[in-house]
Amino acid sequence: MLRSLKGLVCHSLKRERGSARPTARAALSSVPGPAVPAAAAAAAAPRVIFHTSESDPAKHTEQHEGRLYNIPLEELKAVFPHGLPHRFQQQIQTFNEARLMVRRPALEILTYLKGSNFAHPAVRYVIYGERGTGKTMTLCHVVHYCSRQGWLVVHIPDAHLWVKNCKELFQSSYKKDRLDQPLQASVWLKNFKTSNERFLDEIKTQKKYIWGKRESTEEGRPLREVVEQGLARVRSASDAVGALLRELRLQGQRGPRRLLVAVDGANALWGRTTLSKEDKSPVSPEELTLVHNLRKMLRNDWSGGAIVTTLSQTGSLFKPSSAYTPQELLGKEGFDALDPFVPIPVPNYSPREFESCYGYYLERRWLQHEKAHTEDGKAELQFLSGSNPRQLDRLAGPL
């Protein structure tokens, strides 16, 4: 039986999301002997086993590790207006609540942020790990913490989308050798405005910006005017993003306000794109106005905040699917650009974290298969998933 199980797990880990379902059900159906209802006790146990009532990330410590905390849905919309990973959004819709697991990598970053001297140049943190280990959710935990602490947050949730599948490219009116992406820029500005609304009137511009023959933003005007310019004149959106990011770097050094730059899939900013110019020649990342300005934000030549990034296989175009280390995903150019940085590895679930996730699925009645409620069924799920968060979620879905 062990030999057949090895074949099952190897096969299921390679298959796409929809095709893993029969494997999970078939594997659980092969569990021998009578059902052992040990998991029923877990379902009836107090919520404190795998939940925590502490919803403030600033108060999360090692004693909360492996437990799930609640983010109010209204707060979720304000902090993450662009949305969250697709699978997590589905879970929120199904359970009508947003619960994020407190894990050691996030706690490590929060500890560093609490002890940082923000008069020094911004420290860069690089979150990395194998596919599906929870890198994006670790970043979301950090973003939630900074938002609660009153930081201004520059969140790029999908950097890889800036270097692929872009239908509209226009020559920049500011730099002729650059290309603007007005649709991507305007969408990002809209989300930035939602999550940082309370700061837009407080921050004043340090420079005059000329958008055209008749339009300009004078020095000393509210930052809101720069954002609104990009939203009202979509063709100016890419330049508005550049002006906005420049102002934020200056504000971080001069004011008491903290700035978080959070980029999911930062490795997409170096390497190759799938975009082409009118003459069919490839577009390099540095030719894109958005990428050019975002790379500036990842330099540690400013103070008053922190830079937290993830490395994603999704954003790693033309790289082996097995690659996950910073050297592999960033390449020499990207690695040198981010060096020095603090590496934050994200592993698969620990036994405690797996128990919490499994208990949560039981409590929410997400696991309907009768054998999924047994010790043998739990062991099968742990074996087939390899304690990988994404694989566990995919295997549990049809059960």
Side-chain angles (χ1 to χ4, degrees):
M1 179 179 176
L2 181 59
R3 184 178 301 172
S4 64
L5 286 176
K6 287 181 178 178
L8 281 172
V9 67
C10 292
H11 188 53
S12 66
L13 291 177
K14 291 179 180 177
R15 298 179 67 178
E16 293 298 324
R17 180 166 69 192
S19 59
R21 297 183 176 182
T23 301
R25 184 172 292 276
L28 284 174
S29 298
S30 68
V31 176
V36 182
R47 291 168 64 92
V48 69
I49 292 178
F50 46 87
H51 290 271
T52 174
S53 59
E54 184 53 75
S55 62
D56 184 356
K59 297 180 181 178
H60 289 161
T61 64
E62 290 185 0
Q63 75 180 50
H64 301 106
E65 184 180 341
R67 296 182 181 179
L68 296 148
Y69 81 96
N70 182 62
I71 305 178
L73 296 182
E74 286 303 315
E75 184 178 1
L76 194 79
K77 295 176 183 177
V79 178
F80 304 102
H82 50 77
L84 290 156
H86 179 65
R87 299 287 296 189
F88 190 58
Q89 290 187 59
Q90 287 184 318
Q91 188 179 105
I92 294 172
Q93 293 173 0
T94 303
F95 300 157
N96 197 32
E97 64 177 7
R99 289 197 174 271
L100 193 62
M101 185 178 291
V102 180
R103 302 188 66 194
R104 184 175 295 274
L107 290 175
E108 183 179 354
I109 297 176
L110 299 189
T111 299
Y112 291 148
L113 293 181
K114 293 173 184 177
S116 293
N117 184 343
F118 294 107
H120 293 163
V123 176
R124 293 176 287 212
Y125 304 90
V126 175
I127 302 169
Y128 71 97
E130 296 187 45
R131 191 183 297 270
T133 53
K135 301 179 289 294
T136 295
M137 301 312 296
T138 297
L139 181 65
C140 288
H141 195 169
V142 176
V143 169
H144 188 211
Y145 162 81
C146 291
S147 179
R148 277 283 188 98
Q149 292 300 299
W151 290 39
L152 194 151
V153 177
V154 173
H155 187 191
I156 313 295
D158 40 22
H160 70 279
L161 296 181
W162 289 5
V163 298
K164 68 177 185 180
N165 302 331
C166 178
K167 296 181 179 179
E168 293 191 9
L169 290 174
F170 297 94
Q171 185 180 47
S172 172
S173 58
Y174 180 68
K175 291 285 186 179
K176 299 300 182 182
D177 58 344
R178 291 194 199 133
L179 296 170
D180 289 347
Q181 299 162 284
L183 296 181
Q184 282 81 358
S186 61
V187 168
W188 185 81
L189 282 171
K190 179 181 177 181
N191 292 327
F192 175 85
K193 177 183 176 182
T194 299
S195 57
N196 295 283
E197 180 75 36
R198 61 191 185 278
F199 303 116
L200 298 183
D201 292 321
E202 298 176 11
I203 301 176
K204 310 298 181 183
T205 58
Q206 305 292 315
K207 178 184 174 181
K208 178 180 179 179
Y209 296 97
I210 300 176
W211 311 108
K213 295 181 179 179
R214 301 178 181 178
E215 295 177 305
S216 64
T217 300
E218 299 293 330
E219 179 181 346
R221 299 300 300 166
L223 194 61
R224 180 183 300 277
E225 292 189 12
V226 175
V227 175
E228 295 295 349
Q229 173 66 33
L231 294 175
R233 300 286 187 269
V234 177
R235 286 297 296 268
S236 302
S238 294
D239 290 335
V241 171
L244 171 65
L245 296 181
R246 179 186 183 277
E247 289 293 332
L248 294 181
R249 288 197 304 274
L250 294 174
Q251 292 293 333
Q253 298 177 51
R254 298 178 181 178
R257 190 175 295 102
R258 300 289 170 245
L259 171 64
L260 172 69
V261 178
V263 183
D264 198 4
N267 50 299
L269 305 180
W270 292 272
R272 296 163 60 186
T273 77
T274 63
L275 308 179
S276 300
K277 303 175 187 176
E278 291 183 355
D279 61 2
K280 304 302 180 182
S281 61
V283 175
S284 60
E286 60 268 21
E287 292 181 277
L288 300 171
T289 303
L290 290 178
V291 171
H292 172 80
N293 289 313
L294 184 54
R295 281 183 178 185
K296 288 184 178 180
M297 293 301 292
L298 297 186
R299 298 174 186 169
N300 64 341
D301 57 359
W302 54 275
S303 58
I307 302 166
V308 184
T309 68
T310 73
L311 305 183
S312 167
Q313 288 84 352
T314 303
S316 184
L317 306 177
F318 312 106
K319 296 279 187 179
S321 59
S322 60
Y324 72 93
T325 65
Q327 294 90 338
E328 292 174 311
L329 294 182
L330 285 168
K332 185 180 187 306
E333 183 185 8
F335 190 93
D336 290 346
L338 289 181
D339 191 40
F341 60 82
V342 179
I344 307 291
V346 180
N348 287 324
Y349 279 153
S350 66
R352 179 179 179 180
E353 290 169 340
F354 178 86
E355 287 285 348
S356 290
C357 186
Y358 175 74
Y360 180 58
Y361 286 164
L362 287 179
E363 183 202 50
R364 303 304 298 177
R365 298 182 180 179
W366 190 236
L367 296 171
Q368 294 292 317
H369 194 289
E370 66 277 4
K371 291 184 178 178
H373 292 242
T374 68
E375 284 294 335
D376 285 341
K378 180 175 71 172
E380 288 278 1
L381 284 172
Q382 189 167 16
F383 178 78
L384 288 172
S385 67
S387 293
N388 180 274
R390 179 185 296 175
Q391 290 300 330
L392 177 60
D393 176 56
R394 291 178 175 180
L395 289 169
L399 299 178

